[in-house]
Amino acid sequence: MRRLVLLPVLALALLSGCNAANEAATENASAEYADEYADNAESVAVDENVAIAGNVIAKAAEEDAYCPAVDYTTSAAQCRRFTQEKATLDAGLGVFNPPREMVVGESRDLVLAVGKKADAAEVHESVGGNESQHVEVRTPVGHFMTATLTGGGFDIAPQGPQQKTLAADRSEAWQWRITAKAAGPQKLLLTISVDATAPDGSRSRYDLARKPIDIDVAVTEAQRRENRTKALEEKIDHGARVLSALEKWLIALAAVVVAAGGVWIAIRTFGKGKAKDDGAGKQG
């Protein structure tokens, strides 16, 4: 009988111990999950902050700012490229072959060659002609370059900036034809620039070199005779126009004088005629 009473008591005790163990395990699991969740949440927050900071930095990098390499405002990425390109410019040389003298109406073909300073002999050879008459221009050389030739005393073809893309050897040549149109001391201006090229194709300068060229433009004896003949013809034509105008003026003046004389005569004779008529009437 005593055994029958003890068995239910033992069973209840066992069940109670199992429930306590399960509750303890559940509490431990909950605590571990809470810690893991907290760690994950903290990690997510850190990742979000890093992402936000990265976006801010990327956005700031895309904003335009002043770029010393090209002296204007551009994006940070573009400025880095411009700065790298400018740092790779080579010391170069431009060789030009302008004449010292010309005559009015004469045409000449001029050549400008550029290359690395170390290749000076090849640059002179590209121009050709008498090397002692070549004009040198110190300029850097790069991938993109522009040359311009101007001068009011000449017709120049082609006109305006002439752009070139240079290969790795940095050698290139430009050519113009000039025709002298005014006598006396004249001046050409040669401009060479090394360019930066933006993604839209527009160009700005890394470096600029200018070289003024003096040319004495003369006239031949035949041109002088022709000029004197033209001047004389112009004077004769001008004199003829003056005489023609004077002749017309004199004719008009004569007409006015004749008309005035007729009026005067009419006035003089008008009174006398009436007096004669009156006298004849009285005598009758």
Side-chain angles (χ1 to χ4, degrees):
M1 186 67 182
R2 186 177 293 177
R3 291 180 179 176
L4 294 175
V5 174
L6 292 174
L7 287 174
V9 174
L10 292 173
L12 291 172
L14 290 172
L15 289 173
S16 177
C18 289
N19 289 335
N22 288 335
E23 290 178 358
T26 301
E27 289 178 358
N28 291 335
S30 298
E32 291 178 358
Y33 177 77
D35 292 340
E36 182 179 355
Y37 178 80
D39 292 340
N40 290 336
E42 184 178 356
S43 177
V44 170
V46 171
D47 291 341
E48 289 180 351
N49 291 335
V50 170
I52 292 172
N55 291 334
V56 171
I57 293 173
K59 185 177 180 180
E62 291 303 320
E63 292 181 353
D64 290 348
Y66 174 75
C67 182
V70 289
D71 193 27
Y72 68 88
T73 300
T74 184
S75 68
Q78 192 68 29
C79 186
R80 285 194 299 271
R81 186 175 74 82
F82 285 152
T83 304
Q84 291 171 355
E85 286 184 0
K86 187 173 183 179
T88 61
L89 297 181
D90 295 307
L93 177 70
V95 176
F96 191 44
N97 64 339
R100 290 184 173 86
E101 296 179 346
M102 293 181 69
V103 297
V104 173
E106 181 184 3
S107 296
R108 292 283 188 95
D109 291 325
L110 307 186
V111 176
L112 166 68
V114 299
K116 296 179 181 179
K117 186 177 180 181
D119 301 329
E122 288 81 356
V123 179
H124 279 278
E125 186 177 352
S126 298
V127 174
N130 188 346
E131 185 173 334
S132 64
Q133 297 180 354
H134 290 174
V135 175
E136 293 187 352
V137 185
R138 301 293 177 180
T139 176
V141 288
H143 188 49
F144 301 106
M145 297 190 70
T146 300
T148 308
L149 187 65
T150 56
F154 303 88
D155 289 325
I156 301 173
Q159 295 183 346
Q162 305 302 309
Q163 300 176 343
K164 298 276 189 178
T165 301
L166 281 64
D169 63 356
R170 297 296 186 257
S171 64
E172 188 54 88
W174 288 258
Q175 186 169 346
W176 295 270
R177 166 158 283 206
I178 66 170
T179 302
K181 62 180 183 180
Q186 303 297 332
K187 190 179 292 293
L188 285 173
L189 179 62
L190 175 65
T191 304
I192 307 171
S193 67
V194 187
D195 307 331
T197 302
D200 62 358
S202 62
R203 291 193 176 191
S204 54
R205 294 197 308 259
Y206 285 134
D207 192 87
L208 181 69
R210 292 187 180 92
K211 186 68 175 181
I213 310 294
D214 294 319
I215 300 176
D216 186 18
V217 180
V219 293
T220 63
E221 186 58 35
Q223 288 173 334
R224 288 193 181 91
R225 289 196 298 269
E226 183 180 357
N227 291 339
R228 286 196 295 267
T229 301
K230 287 182 178 180
L232 181 60
E233 290 175 351
E234 289 176 357
K235 288 181 179 179
I236 293 173
D237 183 62
H238 178 70
R241 289 197 301 270
V242 171
L243 290 175
S244 178
L246 180 61
E247 181 182 6
K248 292 179 181 179
W249 183 80
L250 290 173
I251 292 173
L253 179 62
V256 171
V257 170
V258 170
V263 171
W264 183 77
I265 293 172
I267 293 173
R268 292 289 301 272
T269 58
F270 177 76
K272 292 180 179 180
K274 186 175 181 181
K276 288 180 180 179
D277 290 340
D278 291 342
K282 289 177 180 182
Q283 290 175 1

